[in-house]
Amino acid sequence: MSDRKTMKVGSRKSQLALIQTNKVISKLKELHPDFKFEVVTMTTTGDRILDSALSKIGEKSLFTKELEVALVDKSVDFVVHSLKDLPTALPDGLAIGCVYKRDSPCDAVVMHPKNEGETLQVLTVGILSLFCSVIGTSSLRRCAQIRRRYPKLVIDDIRGNLNTRFRKLDSEGRYDAIILAEAGLHRMSWSERISEVLSPEDCMYAVSQGAMAVECRAGDLEIINMLNEIHDPDTAIRCIAERAFLKHLEGGCSVPVAVDTQITDNKLTMRGGVFSVDGREAVEESSHVIFSKASGGKLHNGNQLYASIVGCLDQDPAKFVAAEKLGTEIAETMVNKGADSILRAAKRKAEEEILEEHARKRARKEASPTLQQAVVS
Ligand code: DPM
C-alpha cells in the first residue's frame, strides 16, 4: 500500500446519496480505521432539472457525469452510486470497483395518507373506481407494468428527489399513491410509509435496483483491492447478468426494461421483460445457468471487467463469465421475439417527447422577457 491515507469520496448531494455514501464509508472505516475519508459533494444534471420526467431529458449519465469528470481528473478517488443509475457503458478508464450487498430490489407503493395501508388493487375497485386513482411515477418501466397489471389506474409523472416526491404526494392531493424503490425507502428510514411491496411477478424491477456500487479508476489497483473487501459476489453476479442484458438491448436508464434474478450456490436464474409504455405489448423470457465446479486456482487480476464490474478478486472468474453470457443470451432471444421493435417504438416516443419538452422550454424562455417588460412598464 502507498502512503495514501486520505480518500476523497464523490457523492451527489441528495439525502439518499449521502446516506449511501456514508454507509459505504463506515464499512470501509471498520476495515481500515487508519484511513480518512473525505466526502466531496456535487450537483448533477439530473438533480438540477426538476421539471421534466427523466425520460424526457434525453441525456445519458444524468446523475453521474459530473462525478465521473472528477474521477478522471483525480479530484476524487471513488464515487458511491445507486448501481441502477450507472449506464451500462462507463467512460474509458473507469470501472465499478465493487457492488455492495444488495438490499431489496423490489418496488414499493407509498399511499397518500387518506389511503394508508391500502393496495393498488384496492385503488382500482369500490367507490374509488368512480374517479380514476392517479399513481405518480416517472419510470417508463413502472408505468408500463402498472398499466398492464392495473389498467384502471392512471399514471402521472412525478419528479424530484425522494423528499420532494413525498412532499408532493402528501400536500398536493394530485396523486393517490407513488411508487418507489423499497431499498431507497428503507435507507431513508421511511419504511413505515410502505403500504405494499410489489412482487416481481406483478412488477419486475430495474436492472441493478437496490444495489449500491462504487465507481473508481480502472487502473487504480490500490483502491480496487480495498473495495474488493466489501464486494458482494452474489450481488455482483446478478448485476452482471442484468447489466449485460440491458446492454445487449441497448437500453439506457429510461427504457421499459425489467428483470428478476435469483442466485444460489451453483445456479443463477433470470427473467427479463420489455414492455410497450401503454402496457399492451410485452416480451418476456427466462433462463438459468448452472455454474460448473470451480476451475481451480485461476483468480482475478483486478483488470478484468464484466459489464463494467470488476470481478471479485478471490472468486473463480467462470461465474462472472457465465452471468454475462446468460444476460446477453436472454436479450438475444427476446430480440428475436420482437423486443427490439417494442423498444424502438418506446425510444421514438421518448425522443418525440424530448423535442416537445425542449420546444416548451424554449417557448417559456422566450415568453419570460416580455413578461418582465410588461411588469416594468
Ligand atoms: C432509474 C429509474 C429511477 C431512478 C428508472 C426505473 C426511478 C425514476 C422514477 C434508472 N433511476 O427504476 O425504472 O421513479 O421516476 C433511483 C432511485 C433509486 C436509485 C429511486 C427509485 C433507489 C435506490 C436503489 C432513480 N435511483 O427508484 O425510487 O435502487 O439503489
Side-chain angles (χ1 to χ4, degrees):
M1 282 254 162
S2 75
D3 53 4
R4 184 162 42 150
K5 284 282 168 63
T6 301
M7 306 285 165
K8 291 215 182 81
V9 189
S11 173
R12 288 169 55 203
K13 278 185 192 150
S14 74
Q15 192 183 347
L16 177 64
L18 285 169
I19 288 172
Q20 296 185 164
T21 300
N22 287 323
K23 200 165 169 172
V24 167
I25 289 180
S26 68
K27 193 74 204 168
L28 288 172
K29 259 193 188 154
E30 247 173 67
L31 301 166
H32 299 276
D34 51 332
F35 279 22
K36 281 205 169 71
F37 297 88
E38 194 182 295
V39 180
V40 180
T41 59
M42 273 167 225
T43 307
T44 64
T45 312
D47 298 311
R48 233 172 272 129
I49 307 176
L50 294 176
D51 55 350
S52 305
L54 288 185
S55 51
K56 293 184 189 158
I57 301 173
E59 211 180 296
K60 282 188 188 153
S61 38
L62 277 178
F63 291 111
T64 54
K65 203 164 155 191
E66 288 81 354
L67 292 157
E68 286 172 337
V69 169
L71 262 178
V72 171
D73 73 21
K74 299 196 174 176
S75 35
V76 297
D77 294 304
F78 60 85
V79 178
V80 181
H81 301 277
S82 285
L83 183 51
K84 82 161 169 171
D85 292 328
L86 276 180
T88 51
L90 298 185
D92 273 351
L94 299 183
I96 296 162
C98 74
V99 282
Y100 200 78
K101 189 172 168 31
R102 194 176 207 171
D103 293 313
S104 162
C106 297
D107 286 332
V109 182
V110 177
M111 291 285 172
H112 184 277
K114 70 176 186 232
N115 305 320
E116 201 189 319
E118 298 295 6
T119 59
L120 289 184
Q121 181 63 40
V122 167
L123 295 191
T124 67
V125 295
I127 287 187
L128 292 167
S129 68
L130 286 176
F131 316 92
C132 293
S133 291
V134 177
I135 312 300
T137 180
S138 301
S139 149
L140 299 181
R141 173 187 62 83
R142 289 173 180 148
C143 170
Q145 292 186 92
I146 296 299
R147 281 188 171 143
R148 199 168 169 77
R149 178 79 178 77
Y150 303 103
K152 285 188 184 158
L153 299 176
V154 171
I155 308 288
D156 198 3
D157 269 343
I158 184 165
R159 274 286 284 132
N161 61 35
L162 291 185
N163 309 65
T164 312
R165 289 183 193 210
F166 264 75
R167 189 173 39 71
K168 285 183 176 169
L169 172 69
D170 288 351
S171 63
E172 282 183 8
R174 179 172 155 191
Y175 308 98
D176 293 284
I178 56 176
I179 303 185
L180 296 166
E182 189 187 2
L185 290 164
H186 288 311
R187 288 177 200 147
M188 296 285 280
S189 309
W190 286 334
S191 314
E192 77 282 0
R193 285 296 307 264
I194 298 175
S195 278
E196 180 183 12
V197 175
L198 299 177
S199 112
E201 303 304 316
D202 290 339
C203 187
M204 279 191 260
Y205 41 85
V207 163
S208 306
Q209 185 162 306
M212 298 187 283
V214 182
E215 192 179 16
C216 62
R217 290 178 289 277
D220 194 342
L221 293 183
E222 188 186 346
I223 295 279
I224 287 177
N225 273 310
M226 181 176 75
L227 295 177
N228 189 58
E229 298 171 50
I230 58 166
H231 204 359
D232 182 65
D234 283 359
T235 306
I237 289 166
R238 287 171 71 188
C239 291
I240 286 167
E242 295 173 15
R243 282 173 60 83
F245 170 73
L246 184 63
K247 189 170 186 173
H248 192 79
L249 293 172
E250 292 171 359
C253 290
S254 50
V255 286
V257 169
V259 293
D260 179 18
T261 54
Q262 279 101 33
I263 190 164
T264 59
D265 264 357
N266 67 342
K267 186 176 175 188
L268 171 66
T269 310
M270 172 167 181
R271 193 158 61 98
V274 166
F275 308 92
S276 63
V277 180
D278 64 10
R280 292 214 173 93
E281 291 168 83
V283 174
E284 292 184 26
E285 185 66 32
S286 64
S287 186
H288 67 268
V289 61
I290 312 258
F291 301 123
S292 48
K293 286 263 172 288
S295 55
K298 193 171 170 251
L299 299 179
H300 284 278
N301 55 17
N303 290 324
Q304 187 61 45
L305 301 182
Y306 309 88
S308 309
I309 299 176
V310 173
C312 304
L313 301 177
D314 44 357
Q315 297 272 320
D316 182 346
K319 284 187 178 182
F320 301 93
V321 174
E324 200 169 19
K325 188 157 165 265
L326 178 68
T328 310
E329 279 172 2
I330 294 177
E332 184 59 34
T333 311
M334 285 172 55
V335 166
N336 293 333
K337 283 166 73 176
D340 55 339
S341 70
I342 297 179
L343 273 180
R344 260 200 308 276
K347 280 184 191 165
R348 211 178 310 122
K349 191 157 174 283
E351 272 159 24
E352 279 165 21
E353 286 179 0
I354 288 164
L355 291 177
E356 280 168 24
E357 188 79 4
H358 285 324
R360 253 198 305 277
K361 281 194 176 165
R362 251 199 320 277
R364 239 180 286 151
K365 249 190 214 149
E366 278 161 18
S368 56
T370 354
L371 211 72
Q372 275 169 6
Q373 264 171 14
V375 173
V376 175
S377 57

